[in-house]
Amino acid sequence: MKQQIALLGSTGSIGRQTLDIIRLHPEQFEAVTLTSNNNWEMLANQAAEFLPDSVVIANKEHYRKLSEAIAHLPVKVYAGEDALCQIVANSNITTVVNALVGYAGLEPTLCAIEAGKKVALANKETLVVAGDLVMKAALDKQVPIVPIDSEHSAIFQCLAGEASAPTRLILTASGGPFLHMTADDIENASVEQALAHPHWTMGQKITIDSATMLNKGFEVIEARWLFGMQPEHIEVAIHPQCVVHSLVEFPDGALKAQLGTPDMRIPIQYALSFPQRLELPYPKFDITQAGNLTFSKPDTDRFPALRIAYESLLRGGNSCCVLNAANEAAVEAFLSRKITFGDIRRTLEHTLDKSIFIARPSLDDYRASNTEARRIAQQFIDSK
Ligand code: NDP
Ligand code: MG
């Protein structure tokens, strides 16, 4: 049977690459719902090509324009963030690909789990904010959460077929655009410099997170929840060549790694086709052309956000939710040129310092923490 896919965030970087996979394997996958936030024109074009059952535009302001643009198509149109939650519960959907960015991804993930749908998860913020609740809900409902993030897909692939629990996870990191820059130069880096990632073309938010290396910190948190691993057993290795996508260590000391071209379509397709593998008609990786592969420890003096993420994970409670909210506010302010690159870190530290700690947050506590941390972060940003 075909997988009937709700693709949340179909107009984004992961969303568009997921459509490449659906396009390649029409006998396996069908897009049943496509969604965007503001980009109604691209969503209308996608609707014309894929003829999904429905589309959702999260920002209601664009509902009319989108409806008019596709009035001639047999496609239902819904609007609003609440509609995302409702749509994933539809009985004609088997799989939810969550390619939303930021906190907005959390509630649709929970709705998909509640409705018993398989979740292919790119939206790492889901697990950063409320990994404990999300994994518990998935366990209760026996819903698989399959990672799309390349490092977690690599670990997932290394774990397949193993009966023994791993002893260590090693997440590889490219180091981002500032790998070789001094602390002073990083402090005042421009938006253009921060957006120039050497290896990956991604959405703006994750590209800035890669420059601060908070993205790697988020991935440590993501791995903690996805694989039930304690933070002290999750390490990061700088690997600028981006060939080894991550490694797993087993009790006998054996290390397994997954290698390949840095192309997100490989982990996206695997998340959909698992446990099968399908053909991908792109040039295969030539290991003899890989050159030297290097691995080194990250420098948390120059990239303090990675250290802050570990500290938040160890503190637990609502700390990672607060960290995520502060970061979303800070990245937005940096991209709008309201604060410097170095101010991103200061916003994180200030917000974590001023927020109330909640040891065992409920979903409502996470919602309130997110709102409150954004307010604190915004006040700090406005004081700059
Ligand atoms: P993009 O910014 O490219 O795309 C985000 C998508 O979500 C767009 O479709 C956007 O719509 C939609 N969206 C944004 N905000 C909202 C909102 N408030 N409500 C509803 N929809 C919204 O992001 P990426 O594709 O780069 O990243 C998606 C997720 O995948 C992130 O969590 C990221 O960390 C993760 N990831 C991404 C990788 C990559 O290579 N890009 C690699 C690994 C993980 P619109 O187009 O209208 O703005
Ligand atoms: Mg990643």
Side-chain angles (χ1 to χ4, degrees):
M1 203 188 86
K2 273 191 197 182
Q3 280 187 60
Q4 310 281 328
I5 297 173
L7 172 52
L8 311 183
S10 59
T11 51
S13 159
I14 294 289
R16 282 177 276 122
Q17 294 179 83
T18 306
L19 289 176
D20 287 344
I21 298 301
I22 296 177
R23 217 179 259 123
L24 278 172
H25 302 289
E27 70 296 349
Q28 307 270 352
F29 309 124
E30 183 172 346
V32 176
T33 295
L34 301 174
T35 86
S36 74
N37 191 30
N38 292 309
N39 196 343
W40 62 270
E41 292 102 326
M42 190 186 290
L43 187 57
N45 288 335
Q46 292 177 346
E49 179 184 350
F50 289 90
L51 291 177
D53 175 67
S54 59
V55 292
V56 180
I57 183 99
N59 184 344
K60 290 180 180 171
E61 278 181 25
H62 306 299
Y63 173 76
R64 182 116 72 93
K65 283 172 284 191
L66 176 63
S67 296
E68 284 170 8
I70 60 172
H72 60 293
L73 301 176
V75 177
K76 300 181 201 98
V77 184
Y78 303 102
E81 286 199 25
D82 292 349
L84 291 177
C85 259
Q86 288 157 13
I87 212 88
V88 297
N90 268 354
S91 58
N92 57 352
I93 286 164
T94 57
T95 306
V96 175
V97 177
N98 187 338
L100 299 172
V101 63
Y103 178 88
L106 171 63
E107 309 259 353
T109 304
L110 289 169
C111 294
I113 294 170
E114 184 57 35
K117 315 294 183 180
K118 166 182 160 182
V119 180
L121 189 66
N123 178 260
K124 64 190 76 181
E125 293 88 349
T126 284
L127 294 173
V128 171
V129 172
D132 54 342
L133 292 190
V134 172
M135 294 314 288
K136 183 173 179 312
L139 191 66
D140 288 350
K141 286 277 175 185
Q142 292 291 297
V143 164
I145 300 201
V146 189
I148 284 181
D149 211 348
S150 57
E151 296 76 3
H152 306 74
S153 176
I155 291 169
F156 190 74
Q157 293 178 55
C158 291
L159 291 174
E162 292 286 347
S164 302
T167 45
R168 201 159 49 117
L169 307 180
I170 304 169
L171 300 172
T172 51
S174 70
F178 304 153
L179 179 59
H180 302 296
M181 263 164 66
T182 64
D184 283 349
D185 288 345
I186 294 173
E187 172 74 31
N188 294 304
S190 69
V191 171
E192 289 71 23
Q193 284 174 306
L195 284 176
H197 196 283
H199 290 279
W200 298 95
T201 309
M202 312 179 281
Q204 287 202 332
K205 195 257 180 185
I206 184 176
T207 306
I208 301 301
D209 290 348
S210 299
T212 57
M213 281 198 74
L214 186 58
N215 180 53
K216 209 48 58 180
F218 281 169
E219 292 183 353
V220 169
I221 302 167
E222 190 183 1
R224 190 264 170 270
W225 296 116
L226 272 176
F227 305 112
M229 205 73 179
Q230 291 304 321
E232 56 272 29
H233 302 302
I234 308 174
E235 290 175 17
V236 172
I238 301 290
H239 169 53
Q241 299 82 18
C242 288
V243 168
V244 174
H245 298 311
S246 277
L247 305 97
V248 176
E249 181 195 76
F250 291 97
D252 56 0
L255 282 172
K256 269 169 91 176
Q258 188 259 331
L259 287 72
T261 312
D263 183 336
M264 284 309 295
R265 288 173 296 191
I266 298 172
I268 292 170
Q269 176 168 294
Y270 188 72
L272 292 176
S273 70
F274 167 79
Q276 311 294 331
R277 288 185 188 267
L278 301 174
E279 177 68 20
L280 254 189
Y282 305 132
K284 302 289 188 273
F285 187 69
D286 181 354
I287 195 83
T288 63
Q289 298 297 312
N292 289 335
L293 301 184
T294 60
F295 302 89
S296 58
K297 281 199 181 304
D299 176 353
T300 50
D301 290 333
R302 284 185 306 131
F303 298 99
L306 179 59
R307 174 181 45 75
I308 296 170
Y310 265 107
E311 288 166 359
S312 302
L313 181 57
L314 287 170
R315 204 175 311 119
N318 62 336
S319 304
C320 294
C321 171
V322 168
L323 174 64
N324 178 70
N327 183 56
E328 286 188 24
V331 169
E332 198 184 302
F334 173 67
L335 285 169
S336 329
R337 297 165 207 271
K338 290 183 185 140
I339 59 173
T340 65
F341 191 80
D343 285 335
I344 298 177
R345 169 184 51 89
R346 282 182 278 280
T347 309
L348 305 183
E349 285 170 338
H350 173 86
T351 311
L352 281 163
D353 189 43
K354 298 288 176 214
S355 293
I356 294 166
F357 180 72
I358 305 171
R360 291 184 167 277
S362 64
L363 181 56
D364 278 341
D365 290 329
Y366 281 128
R367 289 180 179 130
S369 289
N370 175 58
T371 307
E372 179 61 6
R374 271 165 203 275
R375 191 190 61 72
I376 294 170
Q378 199 54 53
Q379 228 171 29
F380 182 73
I381 289 163
D382 292 342
S383 73
K384 294 268 127 199

